[in-house]
């Protein structure tokens, strides 16, 4: 048995374990610390090293090789506030001879190619910035050697930072064929060097914060680009075989005249597609192969992935579940295994359930109602869940091993039925704290997908866009974006719970399609603690929580029905809140209580714990409480 441990240090830090050429465990650091997109640029004790080893049933002594990758390290840039190892790091000895370090793009490429199952394939990596080196080449070397190199003075030679790399993958060997580098600039927040930089810059401008690429992608679908302050020709020079992104158009977009930014989002998306598709053509030509695996943050862009999948030059196309930086750890682990054995196991990774089982406390469900009773079998449980969904209810599912990547795939999901759940998209976006125009993804059985959607044969990781078939467009309007697309997750009929539930919906003439969004609130990682999930359900007004073995209903103290004229409010025990209507006290969340107070310009602290205060409630406020 050969065991390889992979570690990514940087944005979305993560760890992964590969045993005999197969990935068996992986976990993002955010799932351990509870901080969204958590990560440091060095080795710290926050890394989930012990957690992924435990998932694999191993300890550190059984690991044959450790491979790490440092996103922000580079020659002449180690020390002071940017060490490679944090003070007090205890998870392992960084100078252990088993510990090696590799470059960012090489690890990205390994994640895609080794996971694809292809014996040979073209591999394209594209992101905002990868490793910085003096020679611009890949590396794989002992940690002590790399650290020593990073301490050196690069002098007048300068350094090079990779932004796009083309590899030929052949039975475990990655050959770098071509690479593009970024340009230093004193205004990196506006200077555009690549398709990744374009998306980063415009999303930051539109949403005034980072990590908003998915929002820009969704916003682009609300417009056809008409009335945009720029055109595609302003952004892209197509005079050469490989289009070049321009600079100098930024003065056409005025911060003081923001107005409707959906046309700008649309033009940005279309320009992004022009450039990235050209890079795919370049990759296929350079490699002389017909299968393609990709990695890097740009391949979280679903519309472009769908266009790549349709190219005549691409026979088979693979996007891993985590093409962004979290997937680096999987690539590191694969590289470590191959370095030790020179053996490649050509098996496609089709499951992302690489994380831990839920954290369950003995008393987590003590005050919940178990639907169906304690002697319920699996078939009965599926029937109960199907009945609840067809009654229009939402269900929080926290069961089985957690998903590793950024998207919930059924185990840490909020599920609903797109036909029977009224205003499902609006309700889910409210729960998630997202803009009302954000789309909600559908999941369905792979065998049923062609009946409802036009698109690839399978999409197990929600990495592709589909189009709903016209005859189902009205029924499935809750899962279709404004541009007519849907981010479908296909589920194989493997006997798993979600597959059996979808089949039961088909038997009941459901149809067999479910809404699926991740089980987390605003700025929160996907939840892995059952007690936290139940608390989230209470605060969201969701009545049902589903575990591996039971469906639970959260009991209420009465039916909340507020008259349009008035409501009685008090602060409840334990920091909660309650509404008293006609003598009935109904628990609501503190966020709803604060919302009511703000509606009437009353501060929550002005309401005494034991006093009732009569407030005149508008219809809009009444509706907010009813949906809380």
């Amino acid at each position: 048995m050969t065991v390889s441990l992979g570690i990514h240090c940087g944005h979305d830090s993560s760890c992964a374990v590969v045993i005999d050429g197969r990935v068996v465990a992986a976990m993002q650091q955010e799932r351990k610390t509870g901080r969204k997109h958590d990560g440091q640029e060095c080795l710290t004790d926050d890394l989930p090293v012990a957690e992924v080893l435990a998932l694999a049933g191993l300890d550190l002594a059984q690991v044959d090789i450790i491979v790490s990758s440092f996103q922000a390290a580079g020659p002449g840039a180690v020390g002071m506030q940017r060490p490679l190892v944090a003070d007090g790091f205890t998870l392992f000895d960084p100078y252990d001879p088993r510990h090696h370090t590799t470059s960012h793009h090489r690890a990205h490429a390994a994640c895609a190619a080794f996971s694809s199952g292809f014996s040979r394939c073209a591999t394209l990596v594209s992101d905002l910035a990868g490793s910085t080196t003096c020679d611009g080449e890949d590396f794989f070397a002992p940690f002590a050697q790399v650290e020593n190199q990073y301490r050196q003075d690069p002098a007048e030679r300068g350094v090079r930072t990779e932004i796009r790399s083309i590899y030929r993958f052949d039975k475990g060997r990655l050959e770098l064929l071509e690479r593009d580098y970024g340009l230093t600039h004193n205004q990196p927040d506006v200077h555009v060097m690549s398709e990744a930089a374009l998306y980063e810059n415009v999303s930051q401008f539109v949403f005034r914060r980072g990590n908003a690429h998915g929002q820009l992608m969704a916003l682009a679908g609300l417009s056809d680009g008409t009335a945009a302050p720029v055109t595609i020709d302003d952004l892209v020079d197509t005079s050469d075989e490989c289009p070049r992104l321009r600079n100098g158009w930024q003065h056409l977009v005025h911060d003081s005249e923001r107005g409707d930014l959906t046309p700008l989002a649309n033009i940005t998306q279309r320009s992004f597609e022009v450039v990235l598709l050209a890079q795919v053509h370049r990759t296929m030509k350079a490699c002389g192969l017909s299968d393609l695996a990709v990695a890097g943050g740009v391949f979280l862009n679903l519309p472009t992935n769908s266009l790549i999948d349709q190219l005549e030059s691409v026979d088979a196309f693979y996007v891993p579940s985590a093409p962004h930086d979290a997937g680096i750890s999987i690539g590191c682990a694969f590289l470590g295994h191959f370095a030790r054995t020179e053996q490649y196991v050509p098996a496609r990774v089709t499951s992302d359930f690489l994380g831990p089982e839920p954290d369950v406390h003995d008393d987590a469900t003590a005050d919940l109602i178990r639907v169906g009773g304690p002697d319920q079998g699996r078939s009965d449980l599926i029937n109960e869940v199907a009945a609840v969904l067809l009654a229009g209810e939402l269900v929080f599912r926290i069961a089985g091993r957690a998903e590793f990547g950024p998207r919930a795939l059924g185990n840490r999901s909020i599920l609903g039925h797109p036909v029977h759940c009224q205003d499902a998209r609006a309700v889910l976006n409210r729960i998630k704290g997202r803009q009302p125009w954000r789309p909600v993804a559908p999941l369905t059985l792979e065998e049923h997908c062609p009946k409802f959607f036009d698109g690839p044969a399978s999409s197990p990781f929600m990495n592709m866009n589909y189009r709903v078939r016209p005859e189902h467009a009205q029924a499935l309007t809750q899962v279709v974006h404004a541009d007519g697309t849907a981010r479908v997750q296909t589920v194989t009929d493997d006997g798993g719970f979600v597959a059996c539930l979808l089949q039961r919906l088909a038997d009941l003439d459901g149809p067999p399609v479910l809404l699926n969004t991740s089980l987390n609130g605003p700025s929160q990682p996907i939840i892995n603690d059952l007690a936290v999930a139940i608390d989230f359900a209470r605060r969201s007004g969701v009545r049902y929580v589903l575990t591996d073995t039971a469906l639970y209903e959260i009991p209420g103290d009465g039916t909340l029905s507020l008259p349009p004229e008035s409501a009685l409010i008090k602060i409840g025990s334990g920091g909660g809140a309650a509404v008293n209507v006609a003598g009935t006290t109904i628990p609501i969340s503190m966020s709803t209580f604060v919302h009511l107070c703000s509606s009437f310009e009353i501060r929550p602290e002005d309401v005494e714990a034991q006093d009732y205060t009569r407030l005149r409630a508008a219809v809009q406020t009444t509706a907010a409480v009813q949906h809380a």
Side-chain angles (χ1 to χ4, degrees), residues 346-358:
R348 174 164 290 198
V349 176
T350 57
S351 173
D352 189 49
F353 301 124
L354 301 169
E357 297 280 343

Side-chain angles (χ1 to χ4, degrees), residues 128 183-193 196-206 208 247 249-250:
L128 188 61
L183 303 172
T184 56
H185 198 279
N186 69 340
Q187 295 295 331
D189 58 332
V190 296
H191 185 69
V192 173
M193 296 173 285
L198 173 68
Y199 228 80
E200 173 71 15
N201 292 338
V202 176
S203 65
Q204 291 255 15
F205 171 78
V206 172
R208 298 305 204 194
N247 279 280
W249 53 266
Q250 290 90 338

Side-chain angles (χ1 to χ4, degrees), residues 149-209:
Q149 290 174 349
Y150 279 175
R151 288 175 174 171
Q152 303 303 308
D153 176 12
E156 291 81 11
R157 291 178 299 163
V159 293
R160 311 180 82 180
T161 301
E162 57 196 7
I163 60 172
R164 197 183 294 114
S165 301
I166 296 173
Y167 294 87
R168 180 187 289 117
F169 177 75
D170 188 348
K171 298 178 180 178
R173 301 187 185 280
L174 284 164
E175 179 186 3
L176 177 63
L177 301 181
E178 298 181 21
R179 173 164 285 163
D180 299 325
Y181 303 94
L183 303 172
T184 56
H185 198 279
N186 69 340
Q187 295 295 331
D189 58 332
V190 296
H191 185 69
V192 173
M193 296 173 285
S194 66
E195 56 274 17
L198 173 68
Y199 228 80
E200 173 71 15
N201 292 338
V202 176
S203 65
Q204 291 255 15
F205 171 78
V206 172
F207 295 103
R208 298 305 204 194
R209 66 178 185 82

Side-chain angles (χ1 to χ4, degrees), residues 84 94-97 99-101 141-151:
L84 292 183
Y95 302 99
D96 187 316
H99 185 202
H100 290 65
T101 296
F143 172 80
Q145 178 182 326
V146 173
E147 183 187 44
N148 184 60
Q149 290 174 349
Y150 279 175
R151 288 175 174 171

Side-chain angles (χ1 to χ4, degrees), residues 124-442:
L124 174 61
V125 177
S126 178
D127 60 11
L128 188 61
S131 291
T132 296
T133 58
C134 289
D135 59 11
E137 297 296 320
D138 285 328
F139 59 86
F140 185 96
F143 172 80
Q145 178 182 326
V146 173
E147 183 187 44
N148 184 60
Q149 290 174 349
Y150 279 175
R151 288 175 174 171
Q152 303 303 308
D153 176 12
E156 291 81 11
R157 291 178 299 163
V159 293
R160 311 180 82 180
T161 301
E162 57 196 7
I163 60 172
R164 197 183 294 114
S165 301
I166 296 173
Y167 294 87
R168 180 187 289 117
F169 177 75
D170 188 348
K171 298 178 180 178
R173 301 187 185 280
L174 284 164
E175 179 186 3
L176 177 63
L177 301 181
E178 298 181 21
R179 173 164 285 163
D180 299 325
Y181 303 94
L183 303 172
T184 56
H185 198 279
N186 69 340
Q187 295 295 331
D189 58 332
V190 296
H191 185 69
V192 173
M193 296 173 285
S194 66
E195 56 274 17
L198 173 68
Y199 228 80
E200 173 71 15
N201 292 338
V202 176
S203 65
Q204 291 255 15
F205 171 78
V206 172
F207 295 103
R208 298 305 204 194
R209 66 178 185 82
N211 299 312
H213 311 105
Q215 295 180 54
L216 188 70
M217 180 175 66
L219 189 67
L222 303 182
S223 170
D224 62 2
T226 302
V230 292
T231 67
I232 294 177
D233 289 338
D234 290 326
L235 274 62
V236 184
D237 178 359
T238 57
S239 59
D240 294 331
E241 183 177 358
C242 270
R244 178 184 69 85
L245 280 159
R246 299 179 186 272
N247 279 280
W249 53 266
Q250 290 90 338
H251 71 281
L252 299 173
V253 182
H254 299 285
D255 190 45
S256 60
E257 301 173 1
R258 295 176 65 81
D260 182 8
L261 295 175
T262 56
L264 174 62
N266 180 272
I267 294 298
T268 300
Q269 173 65 34
R270 290 160 61 191
S271 300
F272 175 92
E273 292 168 358
V274 168
V275 176
L276 192 52
L277 287 173
Q279 295 301 331
V280 170
H281 286 299
R282 171 191 174 192
T283 300
M284 306 312 290
K285 182 178 179 180
C287 293
L289 299 170
S290 58
D291 295 336
L292 175 66
V294 297
V298 302
F299 295 104
L300 288 171
N301 191 283
L302 280 68
T304 313
N305 287 347
S306 300
L307 293 174
I308 294 171
D309 185 67
Q310 297 167 17
L311 293 176
E312 291 185 3
S313 59
V314 177
D315 284 350
F317 180 44
Y318 182 81
V319 187
S321 67
H324 65 320
D325 283 353
I328 288 282
S329 62
I330 291 179
C332 286
F334 275 126
L335 287 171
H337 176 267
F338 191 77
R340 291 281 298 188
T341 66
E342 293 196 351
Q343 295 179 353
Y344 166 58
V345 180
R348 174 164 290 198
V349 176
T350 57
S351 173
D352 189 49
F353 301 124
L354 301 169
E357 297 280 343
D359 293 330
V360 179
H361 310 287
D362 291 340
D363 58 348
T365 59
D367 60 343
L368 304 187
I369 300 170
R370 180 164 178 159
V371 179
D375 299 325
Q376 186 180 55
R378 186 169 186 264
S379 179
D380 293 331
L381 178 60
I382 290 170
N383 289 336
E384 294 286 359
V385 176
V388 164
L389 290 167
L390 293 178
E393 299 285 352
L394 295 175
V395 174
F396 280 15
R397 184 167 195 256
I398 178 166
R401 292 185 64 174
E403 297 88 334
F404 167 66
R407 295 174 179 135
L409 302 173
N411 282 7
R412 303 292 183 275
S413 292
I414 306 175
L415 301 175
H417 198 275
V419 176
H420 299 277
C421 185
Q422 296 296 312
D423 299 320
R425 176 163 42 198
V427 172
L428 287 170
N429 281 335
R430 178 188 58 78
I431 289 173
K432 301 274 290 181
R434 307 190 310 183
Q435 299 96 332
W437 41 264
R438 295 279 292 278
V440 178

Side-chain angles (χ1 to χ4, degrees), residues 44-118:
T44 77
D45 279 1
D46 281 341
L47 286 162
V49 170
E51 287 77 5
V52 294
L53 288 174
L55 286 170
L58 303 168
D59 58 40
L60 190 63
Q62 296 171 282
V63 174
D64 296 290
I65 186 169
I66 304 169
V67 181
S68 59
S69 184
F70 297 85
Q71 181 177 11
V78 171
M80 295 179 72
Q81 74 269 31
R82 291 186 182 275
L84 292 183
V85 183
D87 290 339
F89 177 68
T90 63
L91 299 183
F92 59 88
D93 178 6
Y95 302 99
D96 187 316
R98 295 176 296 174
H99 185 202
H100 290 65
T101 296
T102 192
S103 47
H104 191 85
H105 276 201
R106 186 171 184 82
H108 260 318
C111 176
F114 279 87
S115 299
S116 70
F118 297 138

